[in-house]
Amino acid sequence: MAGADISGGMTSRASGDARLRPYLGFIWPALIVCTAVIIFPWLFTVWMSLNDWHIGSERAFVGWANYANLATDRRFLESIGHTFYFTILAVFLPLVLGTMAALVFHKKFRGRGFFRALFIMPMMATPVAVSLVWTMMFHPQLGVLNYLLSLVGLPPSQWVFATSTVIPSLILVEIWLWTPFVMIIVLGGLASLPTEPYEAALIDGASQWQMFWKITYPLVLPFLVVAMIIRTIDALKAFETIWVITNGGPGTASETLNVYLYAQAFAYNQVGTASAVVVVFFAIIVALSLVLLWARQKAKWS
Amino acid sequence: MTLALDKPALEKGVLGKRGRRRLRKVADKAALALAVAVLLAPCLFVFFWMLSLSIKYDIDNTAWPPVFWPTEPTLDNFRHVFEESPMFLYFWNSVQVTGSATLVALLLGVPAGYGIAKAKANGLAAMLLLSRMTPGLSYLIPLFTLFQMLGMIGTVWPIALTHMVITLPIVVWIMIGFFETLPHELEEAARIDGANLWQAFRYVALPLARPGIVVGAILSFIYSWNNFIFGAVFAGRTTRTMPVAVYNMLTFESFAWGPLAAAAIVVMLPVLALTIVIQREIVQGLSAGGVK
């Protein structure tokens, strides 16, 4: 579900309207529902972010106070740091591994469809249930992961129970979950590649490695950027795995923006503060997406 | 390489060359098999471990070193899950929520996707992207307040309604991609024969779009079934969906690993079954949606 061509819509307004009018009948039911379920909450959120409202007590208009409080709230600022740390790794590693997986699963071999199906199972499995299994695997005394480490002679790890290893451990889950997604997008790219450049390169005696960097990589790059955009948005929003496995802990060591938001809204019932967090959060997501969309245009043209 | 073989001057070396080539082929095959194995091992291990935990007694589950193959396989954990909690009720809740959210999304989303694709309304498509970018939690605060005022908290309908946030964009997005690839000559022919826009859609485009609709329906079913957060906020004791029910088990029985793993399997079984059955369509549907 990625980049619609936004720039294309701007070409000529008038002709676009004329084209759109006969089809409005098809679109408006969905549009109304979208407005009700998406736009209404938005207006409400922006309005609430300017109020001090603790569920169960009186609401009071406070202007920018919620934002000012956030700017000095250490826990909030730290959660932004955690979010970026988490996002960078949770985008980069699945991207690399997913591309490698796509190169392997693009080759023709017997049973490919079946093995592909097995490989995409993680991204289809219920995240809460998966997180639960990982929680058990991470257990520092009885978990199977520490046993596997001991088999290859490595010392046991505290995994999600120590401040320094909690985010890398969560990244492990994220890699497991989302590498298949990157693979699918890149596979789509590989399937659309022409065969002529490879034949020419083979005749010229190019190595596999050269062919990848000189032919495959540039041609697949636009697909990689799409995967990166979607992955970035999803990683910023990651919630279920973190919430189920660590609850933001130990302490607040793995508290990302989304987890902080949940705590504010549904544990402390601070609707005003939580709404302000939503607005800031959304601004970050939009800003990052714009940067990435810009990168995508560049990748297209170069 | 085939060219080289045809040269008579090389005839003498052919056997050696053929042997080397065969060796090379075997080596390539082995490397490929190894790569597939390395990729699949971590992926499958988690599922294997889940299965293993679910069919072992607690003694085996808390043993060190861990027991991989159960000495005595048991279905006690599954029995425990169904006896200790109203799993069938939760299952039914999930079916209601996911089923209605998917159905309504199809009713609204398929025509919308058609309209957007035909009118090339890219602005509207971009709006969908925006809805994907919005963190799900941000819908929840206002909707929670609204549903509380309307007294709807405690029924499954607020959950089903909010699941539309997930299902509708998926269906619309997949359908846009699908309708864009359909040749439009057929509908134009129908229009010339006097069909109106709706008839052209209903009798020409819609039947052709069936594969796209299946993919959209299944993907939105999977994502809605897997969703935890909306249910977690809106569900009361009797309206939990499956993922919420399983999460609740974790908070109350954090050391009963067997039943927890069994519950995890029960939740994801329908989704995994669907994935295996239609993996090719999923791969096509997702990459088609991602690539434009």
Side-chain angles (χ1 to χ4, degrees):
Chain A
M1 266 126 272
D5 233 320
I6 301 169
S7 54
M10 308 294 173
T11 43
S12 76
R13 251 231 120 82
S15 78
D17 282 353
R19 217 171 38 217
L20 185 58
R21 198 161 302 123
Y23 290 102
L24 273 181
F26 289 97
I27 303 174
W28 68 258
L31 207 60
I32 288 176
V33 173
C34 270
T35 321
V37 200
I38 295 171
I39 308 288
F40 155 72
W42 255 110
L43 297 177
F44 182 97
T45 304
V46 173
W47 168 243
M48 272 307 152
S49 74
L50 303 173
N51 285 276
D52 179 24
W53 189 26
H54 187 276
I55 286 182
S57 67
E58 279 298 298
R59 182 175 58 79
F61 185 80
V62 292
W64 299 105
N66 286 327
Y67 293 96
N69 288 341
L70 280 183
T72 55
D73 182 353
R74 208 177 145 161
R75 195 169 150 190
F76 171 71
L77 297 176
E78 277 177 2
S79 76
I80 293 184
H82 298 151
T83 308
F84 279 112
Y85 178 23
F86 181 86
T87 301
I88 290 169
L89 289 177
V91 171
F92 181 70
L93 295 174
L95 221 54
V96 173
L97 293 169
T99 308
M100 281 158 53
L103 289 172
V104 170
F105 282 107
H106 183 60
K107 292 221 154 57
K108 287 197 171 61
F109 54 89
R110 208 178 325 146
R112 182 176 68 165
F114 175 70
F115 290 119
R116 261 191 201 171
L118 290 181
F119 194 69
I120 61 172
M121 267 173 18
M123 66 174 281
M124 293 301 170
T126 312
V128 172
V130 165
S131 305
L132 211 135
V133 178
W134 278 93
T135 311
M136 298 188 262
M137 293 181 17
F138 278 139
H139 195 281
Q141 277 87 46
L142 302 171
V144 71
L145 287 184
N146 270 345
Y147 176 72
L148 293 180
L149 281 188
S150 74
L151 282 187
V152 288
L154 288 171
S157 165
Q158 287 290 306
W159 302 109
V160 294
F161 295 89
T163 316
S164 58
T165 51
V166 59
I167 290 186
S169 305
L170 289 170
I171 298 289
L172 220 56
V173 183
E174 203 75 357
I175 293 173
W176 185 83
L177 274 171
W178 295 115
T179 297
F181 176 76
V182 177
M183 179 200 75
I184 287 176
I185 302 272
V186 178
L187 265 183
L190 289 175
S192 71
L193 292 187
T195 51
E196 295 87 5
Y198 292 95
E199 285 156 13
L202 261 181
I203 291 169
D204 289 346
S207 70
Q208 292 283 330
W209 184 251
Q210 283 170 322
M211 285 202 287
F212 174 76
W213 283 111
K214 298 282 186 217
I215 307 173
T216 312
Y217 175 72
L219 287 173
V220 167
L221 191 61
F223 293 84
L224 277 176
V225 176
V226 167
M228 188 162 94
I229 295 173
I230 302 179
R231 205 66 277 290
T232 307
I233 294 171
D234 286 353
L236 284 171
K237 297 195 319 189
F239 175 76
E240 299 181 354
T241 45
I242 306 177
W243 182 254
V244 172
I245 297 176
T246 71
N247 242 301
T252 58
S254 64
E255 194 171 68
T256 59
L257 264 176
N258 226 352
V259 176
Y260 176 80
L261 170 59
Y262 189 86
Q264 287 296 327
F266 298 106
Y268 310 135
N269 290 329
Q270 296 284 5
V271 177
T273 315
S275 299
V277 176
V278 170
V279 174
V280 174
F281 191 14
F282 190 64
I284 292 177
I285 294 182
V286 170
L288 265 179
S289 314
L290 285 179
V291 170
L292 291 170
L293 278 174
W294 173 80
R296 177 173 176 233
Q297 291 298 331
K298 288 215 92 164
K300 249 187 189 167
W301 289 331
S302 62
Chain B
M1 273 189 253
T2 43
L3 273 178
L5 264 181
D6 294 333
K7 286 184 187 164
L10 287 173
E11 209 110 87
K12 261 193 276 173
V14 156
L15 234 167
K17 212 168 210 177
R18 196 175 284 162
R20 224 179 304 149
R21 215 149 37 108
R22 192 177 296 155
L23 199 72
R24 176 84 198 259
K25 238 183 177 171
V26 169
D28 275 355
K29 253 192 181 159
L32 185 65
L34 186 73
V36 173
V38 166
L39 284 170
L40 280 176
C43 156
L44 292 181
F45 180 76
V46 176
F47 290 111
F48 163 75
W49 192 242
M50 173 172 74
L51 193 66
S52 165
L53 284 174
S54 75
I55 54 170
K56 286 183 301 196
Y57 288 106
D58 249 9
I59 294 186
D60 281 347
N61 279 337
T62 52
W64 188 269
V67 179
F68 281 79
W69 303 104
T71 38
E72 245 188 291
T74 168
L75 287 176
D76 268 9
N77 295 320
F78 289 92
R79 217 167 287 135
H80 178 92
V81 167
F82 280 94
E83 274 166 9
E84 296 293 300
S85 59
M87 259 306 152
F88 287 112
L89 173 68
Y90 299 147
F91 187 84
W92 175 235
N93 289 339
S94 262
V95 169
Q96 273 181 301
V97 167
T98 298
S100 53
T102 305
L103 268 182
V104 178
L106 285 177
L107 280 178
L108 300 177
V110 174
Y114 180 73
I116 292 176
K118 288 292 150 188
K120 302 197 173 55
N122 293 321
L124 286 174
M127 234 181 77
L128 280 177
L129 192 64
L130 209 66
S131 80
R132 189 190 163 94
M133 278 157 44
T134 316
L137 273 169
S138 63
Y139 303 117
L140 291 181
I141 304 165
L143 290 175
F144 183 78
T145 327
L146 179 73
F147 291 141
Q148 217 172 26
M149 280 193 253
L150 296 175
M152 282 166 79
I153 301 287
T155 67
V156 292
W157 303 116
I159 312 176
L161 202 62
T162 44
H163 272 230
M164 300 275 300
V165 173
I166 311 160
T167 56
L168 192 56
I170 293 178
V171 171
V172 175
W173 200 268
I174 299 262
M175 291 325 290
I176 293 177
F178 203 85
F179 282 122
E180 273 176 353
T181 60
L182 280 189
H184 41 79
E185 286 82 4
L186 284 171
E187 289 149 79
E188 273 157 21
R191 295 273 287 148
I192 290 167
D193 289 346
N196 62 27
L197 270 183
W198 172 255
Q199 287 165 330
F201 166 69
R202 171 67 188 79
Y203 296 106
V204 180
L206 200 58
L208 288 174
R210 188 176 289 164
I213 296 173
V214 170
V215 174
I218 288 177
L219 281 180
S220 79
F221 183 93
I222 290 176
Y223 279 105
S224 163
W225 183 273
N226 285 346
N227 181 278
F228 160 70
I229 179 73
F230 292 159
V233 172
F234 291 126
R237 275 184 62 81
T238 54
T239 56
R240 281 178 198 145
T241 54
M242 296 281 274
V244 181
V246 170
Y247 174 71
N248 267 52
M249 281 189 70
L250 175 68
T251 38
F252 291 117
E253 305 193 48
S254 52
F255 277 98
W257 283 10
L260 276 178
I265 288 182
V266 172
V267 177
M268 59 171 94
L269 210 55
V271 181
L272 290 186
L274 273 179
T275 306
I276 302 247
V277 172
I278 59 139
Q279 70 87 15
R280 195 208 306 249
E281 285 79 4
I282 289 180
V283 171
Q284 274 167 2
L286 279 180
S287 53
V291 187
K292 277 175 304 180

